[in-house]
């Protein structure tokens, strides 16, 4: 059992039948499902928060269409890696083989020269590009590449999807189905995971391993007690810093006030500069809410000025109030925001 992959990997869907959420994309009338069924696959950008199934769907598409999948991570890949992937695609074409799908995770981290190097192959149909990003593609993808790709917007998984995932894991996972697990309260689990299915399963597996008993009862108090020791695990110079600030931003964009406050508390507990947090909220108020609610930008600007003038610990209340307001604004303007991204 010790050699098994993590729970999140063991529960990764292999086909659309097992895929949870994103009904607007892969439901019976979903545009991506229809595209897959037609067999004609355009180059695409999957845009949305982490842990909602972008990478998983790329794998399912590749398997369903029997097309080879070349995977790159933009954080670790350079121009050389991109060129090697394109050369492999040209080689397959020369051999009259099935043309590949090139999946690039975190595509917004590619530099302009790296993105430029993709244009020729995408234009000629040598490969089909699928890029996954957590950012607004209009701001991070060069216009010439953006114009050659169809953008699809991913949404946060709904509560019923996340709870369904946990129930499925308890019933079907080779390790969990041997234990008696009763989730009496789920709010803390969902809050800490921030709507990220992969993070939810990782936390759930951690809890099961920590509690260790054959009969496990999970309540909000049990969950918070088990994970509170990890709240300050936060490296301001490394990837953990980016993960936490990203989760904070996505909670606001996803209209999740509880998750927003959790990630804010986690950053402040770890000693994050409150001015950095205020600046990020100012950016979100401008880019994600904008003219749909001009007061959001004014409040975020006032928050930044107040934080600079007052400092900590008094600023934490101002930060919390502003973050909750932005999350609420995102909720009331979610359709407007999604429409703006769709046509951006």
């Amino acid at each position: 059992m010790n050699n098994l992959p993590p729970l999140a990997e063991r529960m990764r869907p292999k086909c659309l039948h097992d895929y949870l959420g994103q009904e607007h994309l892969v439901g019976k009338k979903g545009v991506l499902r229809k595209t897959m069924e037609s067999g004609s696959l355009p180059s695409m950008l999957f845009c949305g928060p982490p842990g909602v199934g972008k990478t998983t769907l790329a794998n399912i598409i590749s398997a369903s269409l029997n097309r080879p999948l070349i995977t790159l991570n933009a954080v670790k890949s350079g121009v050389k890696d991109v060129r090697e992937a394109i050369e492999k695609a040209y080689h397959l074409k020369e051999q009259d083989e099935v043309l590949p799908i090139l999946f690039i995770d975190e595509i917004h981290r590619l530099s302009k020269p790296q993105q430029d190097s993709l244009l020729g192959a995408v234009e000629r149909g040598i490969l089909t590009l699928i890029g996954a990003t957590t950012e607004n593609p209009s701001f991070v993808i060069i216009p010439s590449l953006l114009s050659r790709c169809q953008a699809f917007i991913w949404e946060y998984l709904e509560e019923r999807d996340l709870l369904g995932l946990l129930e499925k894991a308890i019933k079907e996972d080779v390790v969990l189905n041997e234990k008696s697990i009763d989730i009496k309260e789920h709010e803390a689990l969902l809050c800490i995971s921030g709507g990220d299915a992969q993070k939810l399963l990782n936390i759930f597996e951690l809890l099961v391993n920590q509690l260790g008993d054959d009969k496990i009862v999970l309540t909000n108090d049990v969950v918070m007690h088990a994970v509170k020791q990890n709240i300050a695990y936060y490296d301001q110079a490394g990837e953990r810093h980016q993960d936490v600030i990203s989760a904070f931003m996505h909670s606001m964009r996803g209209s999740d006030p509880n998750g927003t406050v959790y990630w804010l508390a986690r950053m402040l507990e770890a000693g994050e500069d409150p001015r950095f947090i205020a600046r990020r909220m100012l950016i979100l108020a401008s880019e994600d809410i904008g003219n749909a609610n001009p007061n959001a930008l004014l409040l975020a600007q006032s928050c930044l000025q107040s934080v600079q003038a007052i400092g900590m610990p008094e600023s934490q209340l101002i930060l919390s109030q502003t973050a909750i307001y932005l999350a609420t604004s995102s909720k009331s303007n979610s359709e407007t925001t999604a429409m703006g991204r769709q046509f951006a």
Side-chain angles (χ1 to χ4, degrees):
M1 293 294 184
N2 293 333
N3 295 324
L4 288 174
L7 176 62
E9 188 60 33
R10 300 198 300 269
M11 293 303 300
R12 187 181 293 275
K14 301 295 191 297
C15 62
L16 281 182
H17 177 73
D18 296 326
Y19 195 87
L20 292 176
Q22 314 307 328
E23 286 293 315
H24 65 296
L25 296 178
V26 297
K28 291 183 178 180
K29 297 182 179 180
V31 61
L32 266 179
R33 178 185 285 270
K34 291 181 179 179
T35 300
M36 292 171 60
E37 291 172 349
S38 72
S40 178
L41 197 69
S43 288
M44 300 177 286
L45 295 173
F46 292 172
C47 315
V52 294
K54 300 188 296 296
T55 302
T56 297
L57 188 58
N59 283 281
I60 291 175
I61 290 173
S62 170
S64 299
L65 300 181
N66 292 315
R67 294 182 60 177
L69 183 69
I70 304 172
T71 301
L72 296 178
N73 187 306
V75 177
K76 303 175 183 178
S77 303
V79 174
K80 179 183 177 183
D81 300 296
V82 175
R83 287 176 177 168
E84 286 179 352
I86 294 172
E87 288 174 4
K88 183 176 181 179
Y90 272 107
H91 177 72
L92 289 173
K93 181 176 177 61
E94 291 172 355
Q95 299 297 318
D96 203 24
E97 299 284 346
V98 177
L99 297 180
I101 295 171
L102 173 60
F103 176 72
I104 303 182
D105 198 13
E106 306 289 342
I107 193 171
H108 59 274
R109 303 287 286 271
L110 288 183
S111 64
K112 186 177 183 299
Q114 288 173 313
Q115 293 186 39
D116 281 332
S117 65
L118 291 167
L119 287 175
V122 170
E123 213 169 36
R124 297 183 182 91
I126 303 301
L127 53 78
T128 297
L129 173 67
I130 300 180
T133 176
T134 57
E135 304 294 330
N136 187 327
S138 300
F139 300 137
V140 294
I141 305 298
I142 59 174
S144 51
L145 184 58
L146 188 61
S147 68
R148 291 164 173 79
C149 298
Q150 176 66 49
F152 295 101
I153 308 300
W154 254 244
E155 297 175 353
Y156 276 96
L157 294 175
E158 297 183 10
E159 180 177 311
R160 68 171 184 269
D161 296 323
L162 295 170
L163 294 178
L165 180 61
L166 290 178
E167 292 175 4
K168 184 179 177 67
I170 292 171
K171 291 178 181 178
E172 299 181 5
D173 180 66
V174 65
V175 176
L176 299 186
N177 63 13
E178 296 181 355
K179 298 178 179 290
S180 173
I181 303 174
D182 182 12
I183 305 177
K184 287 194 173 297
E185 296 174 325
H186 60 260
E187 290 80 8
L189 267 174
L190 300 188
C191 179
I192 294 171
S193 66
D196 184 325
Q198 182 171 336
K199 189 167 294 183
L200 175 66
L201 290 176
N202 288 340
I203 294 170
F204 189 63
E205 184 175 33
L206 174 67
L207 287 168
V208 171
N209 290 338
Q210 282 185 353
L211 297 175
D213 300 325
D214 290 334
K215 185 173 180 56
I216 298 170
V217 179
L218 292 180
T219 64
N220 291 336
D221 288 340
V222 169
V223 172
M224 294 308 297
H225 179 75
V227 301
K228 68 180 181 180
Q229 60 194 23
N230 297 321
I231 194 169
Y233 177 43
Y234 181 80
D235 175 13
Q236 292 191 30
E239 290 185 4
R240 174 61 60 174
H241 167 260
Q242 295 299 329
D243 289 344
V244 175
I245 189 62
S246 177
F248 174 63
M249 300 292 284
H250 288 309
S251 293
M252 284 190 290
R253 289 180 182 129
S255 312
D256 180 7
N258 291 332
T260 296
V261 173
Y262 167 77
W263 292 112
L264 174 63
R266 183 162 175 170
M267 288 188 289
L268 294 176
E269 178 75 15
E272 179 60 83
D273 185 347
R275 295 171 298 179
F276 169 77
I277 300 173
R279 286 195 295 268
R280 297 301 300 175
M281 289 196 293
L282 184 61
I283 293 170
L284 180 136
S286 173
E287 293 183 354
D288 291 80
I289 300 175
N291 290 333
N293 183 0
N295 288 331
L297 183 58
L298 295 175
L299 184 62
Q301 186 175 20
S302 177
C303 173
L304 176 58
Q305 293 171 345
S306 299
V307 167
Q308 291 172 332
I310 297 173
M312 289 292 288
E314 291 81 2
S315 291
Q316 60 187 357
L317 183 58
I318 299 171
L319 289 167
S320 179
Q321 290 171 329
T322 304
I324 291 172
Y325 181 84
L326 294 180
T328 305
S329 295
S330 294
K331 182 175 183 179
S332 61
N333 298 298
S334 58
E335 292 184 2
T336 303
T337 303
M339 186 177 297
R341 288 180 175 175
Q342 191 77 37
F343 287 97

